[in-house]
Amino acid sequence: MQTLSVDLGDRSYPIYIGEGLLNQPELLLNHIQGRQVLVVSNETVAPIYLATIRQALSGLHYSEVILPDGEQHKTLDVLSAIYDKLLEDKHNRTTTLVALGGGVVGDMTGYAAASYQRGVNFIQIPTTLLSQVDSSVGGKTGVNHPLGKNMIGAFHQPQCVIADTHTLTTLPQRELSAGIAEVIKYGLICDADFYAWLEQHVEELLACDQTALAEAIYRSCDNKAKVVASDEREAGIRAILNLGHTFGHAIETAQGYGNWLHGEAVAAGMQLAAQLSEKMQWISADDVDSVRHLLLRAKLPVTPPAMTCDQFLSLMAVDKKVLDGRLRLVLLKKMGEAIITSDIAEQDVRDTLTDAGVSA
Amino acid sequence: MQTLSVDLGDRSYPIYIGEGLLNQPELLLNHIQGRQVLVVSNETVAPIYLATIRQALSGLHYSEVILPDGEQHKTLDVLSAIYDKLLEDKHNRTTTLVALGGGVVGDMTGYAAASYQRGVNFIQIPTTLLSQVDSSVGGKTGVNHPLGKNMIGAFHQPQCVIADTHTLTTLPQRELSAGIAEVIKYGLICDADFYAWLEQHVEELLACDQTALAEAIYRSCDNKAKVVASDEREAGIRAILNLGHTFGHAIETAQGYGNWLHGEAVAAGMQLAAQLSEKMQWISADDVDSVRHLLLRAKLPVTPPAMTCDQFLSLMAVDKKVLDGRLRLVLLKKMGEAIITSDIAEQDVRDTLTDAGVSA
């Protein structure tokens, strides 16, 4: 087991990474401060892993909520089911919420914990690669609104994160690939060595090699933790974590949540960002080809779905990364170094989109 | 105009108190950082004061939401209307929300600001005495759940609070009295001099004397600000602000939100707390009579409604002030000094309730 500490002053917490951690109940129990606990999972993950967690928590005042699976259920209405259960079972401010599942479960449980009685503790047990490398680090929690993703939420840090690589053996290949998209992102934005490592090991990740997965998760979380520690409330540099996300959010919104996986939309978005970065003459055509090749090896999409330029631009404009009407984009200054810019001409964005097959 | 500074480090903010402050638009404009603003009010307050605020903000990207009036509308569903408007009108992270109304508008607007895009700025313009002395200080925001008051929420500090005493001239007498209940609370829990001042001036407050109101608001906010500054997240001493509230919440919940005003329930709750404090031999029978007399002069209820002891105790048990199943109460160690205790025997609570006319 590797342990990574996310350094945020009095809200610091450890991330435990390794194979078989769900079978070490003390990892979980050491971070539960009161006698009450509510586990939130979903109907896909619960049948596989919930019994183990329930057993680990058998000595406590225990409740559980099973949510429907999928991004389309990341809503205020579904969130209410968590509040209802907490109140029906008389959970008080000393309770701990445990998220057992992917990013949707983690984001919703974290937001329920942030807002229940104005804030209670929570623990993340992410069971997808995407949530292990992304949504369990950084304290972002929330739900979607019909008019935009993650529009309602809070920053709320967990007590700990338990990333058991063994849970990835039951993950569908498509979701594993979606997670690798975010892993590749860390290489692109801030760690050229890691990007080179990924070019060597991407097939091992796809094959669920436990050692390679643990290494990829550790290095992704380490990179993310460094960025987050320097900018907890996302005032500036943290925005580099959104490489590919502004394009990606437009794709997800246009296609309806859940049709494209988040990581798939980010992959196509990163490819667009790379192409726009080339247009700015920051990276080379060879670099763009390298990104495309690595994404394709990871079995990820590299072209956007059937949409128009106007649709893209309109949906990008409601993304949170827009400041006072100016489109702010994360691009690549070079391989392994992201840049945040508001100086891209709309025509260059349009040209990049049409070059990628989007209708004008 | 008096200005009180609430000292919370980088979340410090001023409270402006005085007559006619709504006619000083620069107070508001100085605290709006971006170009977007959304004003939330309710259907009672908006017809009287919204035009003035709309005029003050006429140069900005401006939106408004008018909520139905009353505690029964402090729900997740009504909150959604604020999110909807923010997204429909493309408000981004630089927006400022302005709460124009009483405690319900303030709590909901504050919570919308805390949770929209994980946190945007907001300004409180409280137009009731209760919200001027209570809900606009301390950063508590939130909505009710059918199973409990304020069960969903966040701590979120405003950019400033503008308390215009002139708005109290349009307040119904019953709501003015409900506000005075909280004012009396500050005297009881931490300021014996202020309690003595109130015994001299309570009729002036009822008559809407502007100077007396400004003084009462300033001293209430000052007392609350001192308590909050020492315990922003309500870990300990801040709980003294809940004198009368655990009994009061039981009354409000049993009667249905909106039938008893919050301040009325707190008044009856404070009277019960005083009686229980006498039973503990901390204050005298004369002290209890003094509390009853002052509450009656302020035209407030001093006896609970028709409820049973079991109903009281059951509803008190879901109040947030309960820690791990132990009933924690705020009582009076002496006049002007509150104490937080978990050591009260249930039988003493029952006896106090039955002495007050509650059926066994």
Side-chain angles (χ1 to χ4, degrees), chain A residues 84 111 115 117 145 151 153 324, chain B residues 84 111 115 117 145 151 153:
Chain A
D84 292 348
Y111 186 51
S115 52
Q117 303 207 13
H145 185 278
M151 284 290 155
D324 262 338
Chain B
D84 292 349
Y111 185 51
S115 52
Q117 302 207 14
H145 184 279
M151 284 291 156

Side-chain angles (χ1 to χ4, degrees), chain A residues 194-268:
Chain A
F194 184 39
Y195 185 82
W197 183 91
L198 285 167
E199 290 191 307
Q200 301 295 319
H201 295 87
V202 66
E203 279 78 16
E204 290 167 41
L205 298 180
L206 278 177
C208 247
D209 178 275
Q210 296 285 298
T211 307
L213 283 169
E215 177 71 8
I217 295 164
Y218 186 92
R219 292 180 75 163
S220 296
C221 289
D222 191 30
N223 277 310
K224 180 162 187 180
K226 282 174 183 154
V227 174
V228 168
S230 66
D231 182 19
E232 190 181 348
R233 308 290 296 194
E234 198 164 21
I237 186 67
R238 179 167 174 165
I240 67 169
L241 297 172
N242 295 318
L243 178 71
H245 282 60
T246 299
F247 289 113
H249 281 185
I251 293 171
E252 283 185 277
T253 307
Q255 300 298 308
Y257 297 140
N259 292 311
W260 275 54
L261 296 178
H262 176 69
E264 293 171 337
V266 166

Side-chain angles (χ1 to χ4, degrees), chain B residues 76-260:
Chain B
L76 279 177
D77 276 350
V78 176
L79 179 72
S80 286
I82 304 177
Y83 297 135
D84 292 349
K85 187 69 178 172
L86 284 164
L87 281 155
E88 284 160 12
D89 290 358
K90 303 207 171 188
H91 285 257
N92 60 41
R93 286 181 181 174
T94 67
T95 194
T96 298
L97 273 58
V98 176
L100 175 70
V104 171
V105 167
D107 286 2
M108 295 183 76
T109 307
Y111 185 51
S115 52
Y116 185 63
Q117 302 207 14
R118 300 194 194 93
V120 299
N121 286 344
F122 87 114
I123 290 171
Q124 295 264 27
I125 308 181
T127 60
T128 66
L129 181 57
L130 179 63
S131 57
Q132 288 177 351
V133 300
D134 184 56
S135 44
S136 48
V137 188
K140 285 190 178 181
T141 70
V143 297
N144 298 329
H145 184 279
L147 295 179
K149 280 196 64 168
N150 295 317
M151 284 291 156
I152 302 159
F155 287 96
H156 194 58
Q157 305 296 341
Q159 303 304 109
C160 73
V161 177
I162 301 170
D164 182 346
T165 52
H166 189 73
T167 62
L168 305 182
T169 60
T170 55
L171 197 65
Q173 183 274 321
R174 196 177 151 198
E175 289 197 42
L176 190 63
S177 290
I180 296 174
E182 294 277 352
V183 171
I184 292 171
K185 183 192 75 178
Y186 293 106
L188 285 171
I189 61 173
C190 63
D191 192 342
D193 286 347
F194 184 38
Y195 185 82
W197 183 91
L198 286 166
E199 289 191 308
Q200 301 295 318
H201 294 88
V202 66
E203 279 77 17
E204 290 167 41
L205 298 179
L206 278 177
C208 247
D209 178 276
Q210 296 285 299
T211 308
L213 283 169
E215 177 72 9
I217 294 164
Y218 186 92
R219 293 181 72 164
S220 296
C221 290
D222 191 31
N223 278 309
K224 181 161 186 181
K226 282 174 184 154
V227 174
V228 168
S230 66
D231 181 20
E232 190 182 349
R233 308 290 297 194
E234 198 163 22
I237 186 67
R238 179 166 174 166
I240 66 169
L241 297 173
N242 295 318
L243 178 72
H245 282 61
T246 300
F247 289 113
H249 281 184
I251 293 171
E252 283 185 277
T253 308
Q255 299 298 307
Y257 298 141
N259 293 313
W260 275 54

Side-chain angles (χ1 to χ4, degrees), chain A residues 33-36 76-77 79-80 83-84 87-88 90-94 107 111 114-119 139-142 145-148 150-156 233-234 242 314 317-325 328, chain B residues 33-36 76-77 79-80 83-84 87-88 90-94 107 111 114-119 139-142 145-148 150-156 233-234 242 314 317-325 328:
Chain A
Q33 289 172 8
R35 294 186 295 109
Q36 299 187 317
L76 279 177
D77 277 351
L79 178 73
S80 286
Y83 298 135
D84 292 348
L87 280 155
E88 285 160 11
K90 301 204 173 191
H91 285 257
N92 61 41
R93 287 181 182 173
T94 68
D107 285 4
Y111 186 51
S115 52
Y116 185 63
Q117 303 207 13
R118 300 195 192 92
K140 284 189 178 182
T141 70
H145 185 278
L147 295 179
N150 295 317
M151 284 290 155
I152 302 159
F155 286 96
H156 194 57
R233 308 290 296 194
E234 198 164 21
N242 295 318
S314 162
V318 297
D319 189 81
K320 287 193 298 302
K321 287 89 203 173
V322 175
L323 277 181
D324 262 338
R328 197 166 59 134
Chain B
Q33 289 171 8
R35 296 187 294 110
Q36 299 187 318
L76 279 177
D77 276 350
L79 179 72
S80 286
Y83 297 135
D84 292 349
L87 281 155
E88 284 160 12
K90 303 207 171 188
H91 285 257
N92 60 41
R93 286 181 181 174
T94 67
D107 286 2
Y111 185 51
S115 52
Y116 185 63
Q117 302 207 14
R118 300 194 194 93
K140 285 190 178 181
T141 70
H145 184 279
L147 295 179
N150 295 317
M151 284 291 156
I152 302 159
F155 287 96
H156 194 58
R233 308 290 297 194
E234 198 163 22
N242 295 318
S314 162
V318 298
D319 189 80
K320 286 191 301 299
K321 287 88 205 175
V322 175
L323 278 181
D324 263 338
R328 197 166 59 131

Side-chain angles (χ1 to χ4, degrees), chain A residues 1 39 52 66 78 82 103 125 162 212 234-235 279 285 301 319 339 352:
Chain A
M1 182 181 82
V39 179
T52 303
I66 312 297
V78 176
I82 304 178
I125 308 181
I162 300 171
E234 198 164 21
K279 193 174 291 291
D319 189 81
I339 182 175
T352 299

